[in-house]
């Protein structure tokens, strides 16, 4: 089964909305490498409609512009792109199509399709929430920025807990933490009675 990864820029207080307004001061070579490893190496992209519209409005022009980010833009353009949308729409960015069969069934089919290339997501927090709840995301890459944005939509809303296991962590020189989570294989139980045994005497 193919691996599905999701990457998000997120503030210290959990905001994922409009990262273009607060994350660029922290973007350095380490973050660029992390984004390229998670997103740029995938041969298939899964995007919510809002994220797709934003990407399609920017990356094709960056590719044709031939600037420093043209090579990365070309990778995104060459990838097969599936868009999560409730309505049909015209796609102007090459290799783009609407995800069929609904979100959970459609993503399950994508992961089960032949091939071993990764499927990657960027942004699309509402889609990420639903896929985490369904247990379909293998790696959640959070680039946690040392800033409290204090306004905007957050990654997690109200609902039942989603247990996760920390797969890796790395601190960048800018203070950004690159945290990678996956589904927690353990069923965790316990309360204060169990916890107090670990308090120092």
């Amino acid at each position: 089964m193919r691996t599905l990864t999701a990457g998000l820029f997120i503030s210290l207080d959990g905001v994922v909305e409009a990262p273009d307004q607060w994350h660029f001061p922290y973007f350095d070579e380490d973050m660029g490498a992390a984004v390229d490893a998670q997103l740029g190496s995938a041969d298939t992209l899964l995007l919510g409609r809002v994220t797709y519209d934003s990407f399609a409005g920017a990356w094709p022009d960056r590719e044709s512009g031939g600037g420093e980010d043209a090579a990365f833009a070309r990778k995104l353009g060459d990838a097969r792109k599936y868009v999560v949308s409730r309505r049909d729409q015209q796609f102007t960015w090459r290799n783009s199509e609407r995800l069929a069969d609904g979100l959970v069934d459609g993503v399950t089919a994508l992961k089960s399709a032949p091939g071993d290339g990764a499927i990657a997501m960027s942004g699309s927090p509402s889609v990420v929430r639903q896929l985490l709840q369904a247990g379909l995301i293998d790696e959640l890459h959070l680039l946690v920025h040392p800033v409290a944005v204090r306004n905007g939509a957050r990654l997690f809303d109200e609902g039942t807990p989603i247990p996760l296991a920390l797969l890796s962590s790395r601190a960048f020189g800018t203070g950004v933490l690159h945290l990678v989570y996956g589904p927690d294989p353990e069923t965790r139980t316990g309360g204060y009675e169990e916890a107090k045994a670990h308090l120092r005497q």
Side-chain angles (χ1 to χ4, degrees), residues 132-165:
L132 280 172
Q133 193 71 60
L136 289 172
I137 292 180
D138 300 290
E139 295 181 2
L140 175 64
H141 292 245
L142 298 180
L143 289 161
V144 185
H145 291 55
V147 57
V149 176
R150 304 184 68 185
N151 289 289
R154 287 165 168 78
L155 174 56
F156 296 109
D157 54 7
E158 294 183 0
T160 57
I162 304 174
L164 299 171

Side-chain angles (χ1 to χ4, degrees), residues 53-69:
D53 288 345
S54 174
F55 277 27
W59 288 111
D61 289 341
R62 292 170 180 167
E63 180 180 351
S64 61
E68 292 179 343
D69 53 359

